[in-house]
Amino acid sequence: MMTEKVITALISIIAGVGGALVLYYLLNKLAERLPGRWEDRIKPYVYILPAVAAIGLFLIYPAYQTIVYSFANRTSTEWVGLDNYRQLLTSEAFLQTLFNTLLWIVIVPTATVILGLAVAVLADRLRPRGEKLTKTIIFLPMAISMVGAATIWRFVYEARPAGQPQIGLQNAIVTALGFDPVVWLQQERFHLNSFWLMVILIWAQVGFSMVLLSAAVKGVPTETLEAARIDGATERQAFFRVVVPQIWPTVTVVFITVLIGVMKVFDVVYVMTNGNFNTNVIGLEFYNQLFTNGNAGFAAAIVVMLMVAIIPVMIYQVRQFRAQEAGR
């Protein structure tokens, strides 16, 4: 079975890469047959045509179809207008899902940036070998899929009845201190269980934040820091008034990148709780509506709302990139 999968994967890679090479070769040959200046005029479009076609086929068309289906019934056979949006936005369960997603949006990117910046600054103070080792260890979770990360953290939060051996790390500590085990993922008060799920994503994303912010901090000119110290600034003042303003574009990029990922979070919640105990998020709600409830109309409406929410963030990020490029 494993051999068959490996062979299939190799054939797919060879066919995909080989097919692309053959396609570009044929298009180039056709462009070379054009007379005069037409070759120079057409050839750039020939090279971008496959990419544009792929974007249109696999991105633009599905997005259009999703918008269309969001105005249809659960089987996409009759038009229902805005009923899908109206029912979702008046549903207490869906509003609670939106609130949970909002908590993720507020907490996870902020915590990721703060922790990533703290680790970057503190690790830079170590000796070169210690800095490399520390950053490697912190970056390792980025190499793990989110399903794998959630599986690992299930053993951290695992809870067994009192009196039984606790294999969950947190409950092992709690019971060792003389307290009863806690079912961490069922603690709905103050959304504590959602917070425990957020910890998993923060743990996985801090390494990404650390790498980018560490590079930005190292890029701050030492002359500006020395000038601030000469003027009597403390290390804290120099950091917040000199370093942070100069790395702020990178901070913004990291925050927005993590934010976009958080708005689509699905796998962590699906693996850990499947949205039970008031931990549901909008990405998981889409999955449940489409594959569990079989309601394509609700699922499409959820995706459209998610797209509408993400578009302003992406526009802002593009403007930030352009501002950075213009400032260089």
Side-chain angles (χ1 to χ4, degrees):
M1 181 65 70
M2 182 59 68
T3 304
E4 292 178 1
K5 290 182 178 179
V6 172
I7 293 174
T8 302
L10 290 175
I11 292 174
S12 300
I13 293 171
I14 294 171
V17 175
L21 291 174
V22 170
L23 175 62
Y24 278 106
Y25 175 79
L26 293 176
L27 290 174
N28 184 63
K29 284 296 183 182
L30 289 174
E32 289 177 350
R33 292 178 176 273
L34 295 174
R37 295 183 178 180
W38 280 103
E39 178 183 349
D40 296 331
R41 293 176 180 176
I42 298 297
K43 188 171 283 187
Y45 297 100
V46 167
Y47 283 114
I48 67 172
L49 179 62
V52 172
I55 292 173
L57 180 62
F58 298 109
L59 183 63
I60 297 176
Y61 177 72
Y64 166 76
Q65 281 298 114
T66 300
I67 294 172
V68 171
Y69 288 153
S70 71
F71 298 106
N73 62 0
R74 62 186 302 120
T75 56
S76 304
T77 54
E78 294 182 7
W79 298 109
V80 295
L82 296 174
D83 282 354
N84 291 326
Y85 296 94
R86 188 180 300 111
Q87 291 182 47
L88 284 171
L89 294 176
T90 55
S91 167
E92 184 177 347
F94 185 74
L95 292 177
Q96 188 61 54
T97 297
L98 290 179
F99 181 74
N100 291 339
T101 306
L102 179 63
L103 289 178
W104 281 76
I105 289 172
V106 172
I107 296 174
V108 173
T110 304
T112 301
V113 169
I114 292 173
L115 291 175
L117 182 58
V119 171
V121 172
L122 294 175
D124 287 345
R125 297 176 182 269
L126 299 173
R127 294 179 179 179
R129 182 175 296 180
E131 178 186 352
K132 291 178 182 178
L133 178 61
T134 301
K135 289 183 176 179
T136 300
I137 293 173
I138 294 173
F139 188 77
L140 277 177
M142 283 291 297
I144 305 173
S145 69
M146 292 311 302
V147 172
T151 303
I152 292 170
W153 280 83
R154 287 187 70 174
F155 290 102
V156 176
Y157 298 144
E158 178 68 24
R160 292 185 174 181
Q164 295 186 12
Q166 299 295 326
I167 64 171
L169 176 61
Q170 290 191 175
N171 274 319
I173 296 173
V174 167
T175 53
L177 295 174
F179 299 99
D180 291 332
V182 179
V183 185
W184 301 101
L185 298 181
Q186 295 183 20
Q187 302 298 309
E188 298 184 33
R189 188 177 183 185
F190 303 119
H191 293 272
L192 285 176
N193 49 1
S194 291
F195 172 77
W196 295 122
L197 298 181
M198 295 176 201
V199 169
I200 303 172
L201 189 56
I202 295 170
W203 173 75
Q205 293 293 321
V206 162
F208 163 77
S209 174
M210 173 202 66
V211 169
L212 295 186
L213 294 174
S214 178
V217 170
K218 287 180 181 294
V220 175
T222 56
E223 295 82 1
T224 57
L225 287 171
E226 291 174 359
R229 294 186 183 109
I230 292 172
D231 289 340
T234 63
E235 288 298 318
R236 179 178 296 180
Q237 290 173 331
F239 177 75
F240 284 105
R241 298 184 182 181
V242 177
V243 175
V244 171
Q246 293 190 65
I247 68 170
W248 191 252
T250 306
V251 172
T252 304
V253 169
V254 173
F255 184 91
I256 292 176
T257 303
V258 177
L259 172 63
I260 292 173
V262 168
M263 294 177 76
K264 301 180 294 181
V265 68
F266 159 77
D267 30 23
V268 171
V269 183
Y270 178 74
V271 172
M272 298 294 287
T273 64
N274 195 25
N276 295 316
F277 315 114
N278 198 20
T279 60
N280 202 16
V281 289
I282 194 167
L284 180 58
E285 180 64 17
F286 156 75
Y287 176 87
N288 287 332
Q289 289 293 346
L290 184 59
F291 295 104
T292 304
N293 300 337
N295 194 329
F298 276 13
I302 291 171
V303 172
V304 171
M305 285 188 279
L306 189 58
M307 286 194 297
V308 170
I310 288 179
I311 286 174
V313 178
M314 297 182 67
I315 292 174
Y316 179 78
Q317 188 174 31
V318 170
R319 289 181 176 176
Q320 285 292 116
F321 280 131
R322 289 179 177 174
Q324 277 186 271
E325 292 295 328
R328 290 181 179 178

